């Protein structure tokens, strides 16, 4: 995930986080003598509730909520004994909806704050409507590290 976020937290520790980011999702399967991979590039817009616990300089946070995504491109990579090819594929569902959450720690240094967290995201939109495929719902475990400038009223 690469993007920009805006967070607001009030004095009681509750707030919101809204962002816009590029996500690189997909999967790969490797077996002897062949491999298969599918990748999706998406723009994601999360709307998360954020709760911050404990006092500065170290604080813990928990956040969760929905996100909207738009698929920019998709590709398949197949490699085998006798063939090897890559192609861009048509995306059945460009817009998607999902739910996510994250737990982490914040560290304050004056007007700067760093964060490290681990999260989970579940897409709720079927990405692949190919014959024989019932559902293709992405699930992601996310590790995040960031740094932000604090702007106070």
């Amino acid at each position: 995930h690469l993007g920009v976020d805006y967070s607001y937290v009030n004095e009681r520790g509750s707030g919101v986080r809204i962002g816009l980011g590029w996500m690189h999702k997909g999967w790969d399967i490797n077996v002897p003598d062949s491999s298969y991979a599918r990748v999706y590039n998406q723009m994601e817009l999360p709307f998360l509730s954020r709760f911050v616990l404990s006092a500065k300089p170290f604080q813990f946070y928990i956040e969760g909520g929905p996100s909207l995504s738009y698929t920019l491109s998709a590709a398949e990579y197949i490699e085998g004994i006798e063939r090897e090819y890559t192609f861009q594929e048509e995306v059945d569902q460009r817009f998607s909806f999902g739910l996510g959450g994250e737990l982490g720690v914040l560290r304050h240094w004056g007007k700067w704050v760093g964060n490290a967290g681990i999260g989970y995201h579940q897409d709720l939109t079927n990405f692949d409507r190919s014959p024989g495929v019932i559902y293709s719902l992405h699930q992601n475990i996310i590790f995040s590290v960031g740094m932000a400038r604090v702007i106070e009223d």
Side-chain angles (χ1 to χ4, degrees), residues 106-122:
L106 301 169
R107 170 63 166 107
H108 293 263
W109 292 280
K111 294 280 185 187
W112 292 91
V113 62
N115 79 288
I118 184 168
Y120 177 79
H121 185 267
Q122 172 69 59

Side-chain angles (χ1 to χ4, degrees), residues 81-128:
I81 296 173
E82 297 181 17
R83 64 182 177 164
E84 197 172 308
Y85 65 91
T86 300
F87 65 92
Q88 297 293 316
E89 69 175 48
E90 282 300 314
V91 179
D92 293 328
Q93 187 72 26
R94 288 230 180 244
F95 287 98
S96 65
F97 176 75
L99 293 173
E102 187 172 315
L103 299 169
V105 64
L106 301 169
R107 170 63 166 107
H108 293 263
W109 292 280
K111 294 280 185 187
W112 292 91
V113 62
N115 79 288
I118 184 168
Y120 177 79
H121 185 267
Q122 172 69 59
D123 281 328
L124 301 175
T125 305
N126 186 8
F127 272 86
D128 191 355

Side-chain angles (χ1 to χ4, degrees), residues 20-83:
L20 180 63
W22 172 77
M23 297 282 286
H24 183 73
K25 299 178 179 180
W27 64 90
D28 58 6
I29 300 169
N30 294 303
V31 295
D33 299 326
S34 67
S35 66
Y36 172 82
R38 180 174 284 188
V39 296
Y40 293 91
N41 292 301
Q42 296 180 317
M43 291 302 294
E44 184 177 59
L45 183 64
F47 301 93
L48 304 173
S49 295
R50 177 176 263 204
F51 301 97
V52 178
L53 311 167
S54 70
K56 295 177 183 177
F58 287 99
Q59 295 179 306
F60 298 96
Y61 68 89
I62 183 170
E63 58 187 25
S67 66
L68 298 172
S69 300
Y70 179 78
T71 302
L72 301 169
S73 66
E76 278 187 309
Y77 304 95
I78 300 173
E79 181 181 305
I81 296 173
E82 297 181 17
R83 64 182 177 164

